[in-house]
Amino acid sequence: MTKLQWGMIGGGEGSQIGPAHRLGAGLDSLFEFSAGALDHRPEYGIDYGKRLGLGDRAYGGWQDMLEGEKKRDDRVDLVTVATPNATHFEITKAFLENGFHVLCEKPMTMTVEEGEEIVEIAKKTGNICAVNYGYTGYSLVRHMKAMIARGDIGKVRLVNAEFAHGHHADATDADNPRVRWRYDPAQAGISAQFADCGIHAMHMASFVTGQEVTKLSADTVSCIDVRTLEDDAMVNFRMDGGAVGRLWTSSVAIGRQHGLGIQVFGETGGLRWSQEHPNQLYYMPLGERLQIIERGEANLSPEGDRTTRVTIGHAEGMPLAFANIYTDLAEAISARKEGRTMDPAANLYPRAEDGLRSMAAVYAVAESGKAEGKWLDARPPMFR
């Protein structure tokens, strides 16, 4: 596979997410970091980009990068958008319309209408628009999906998903600007904790089961009363394949660190996975003993085998999960360039449609929470 050109917008010096993307994109030598507009302050972005080796392709802003790259014969093949949430739509739209493939951080947009527009643009242009639900890149999450698809636990009955932490539980720190903005509708939109973490858990439920959420009922609360938006939510949902779903997300669960996990219960077995212990998948067949599946075991599934790099017993973490998303995208882009069919085991990267469904769920959760848990359609209008 020919090495592809990769560029990044946002993710500058001091960013939480930037290093994970740079590690992930470069891990398998499928992408060369070639261009970037890494900071909203032009001089900082150019300086940091040059220190990372971008030379004259270190741009002062995303508009400069778009203008510069679209004129080049060796333009970037993939652009990652890792900027503040409210800018995702504008940047993603501009690059898609100018012929670039895009990987956008979540949330893809701030409204359902913007999400539907991105889906339509991706279809019209034929360019890839992926959304970084990076936790779906973990090897055993891929294997969990494969086990459910091949019927190892029978028809899925129940899904229980969580993403709960306690890092915003200190009421005396609620006015800290680094925390406060997350619960301010003017900056965060209509939802805080569900939009930040809950949509990861809900997307995970859909990803592993192969079912989409159709309706939901939400109980949302601000445990720290100076907050306008929720810091805790419990969401019941139903899926189009008949599964019943339960989801809890919180930022005030003292003692929980990252707290992303999923359990799936079928007619003939159950599965359990936790992101803080990602190298083990717990499998309980009906009437048999509990089995612990280790990442790195041979011949698990094509989806699981192709996404593991380190031998069994050695931990693989988040940057390697991100790397699996980038590997999927490299395969998808290269297959298009070469006019061939892509590896089906790599065809698992989250799409614009996933980002749209998440935004529709955010609005449904916010509305249901205000209506004392009223059941609402969780689908975007274009999918109803």
Side-chain angles (χ1 to χ4, degrees), residues 95-111:
F95 276 87
L96 287 173
E97 289 179 333
N98 281 277
F100 295 88
H101 302 300
V102 176
L103 171 61
C104 183
E105 265 299 331
K106 48 69 59 181
M108 182 178 74
T109 62
M110 295 295 284
T111 69

Side-chain angles (χ1 to χ4, degrees), residues 1-2 333-340:
M1 189 183 297
T2 303
I333 295 168
S334 295
R336 292 183 180 207
K337 283 189 165 189
E338 297 163 12
R340 60 175 174 82

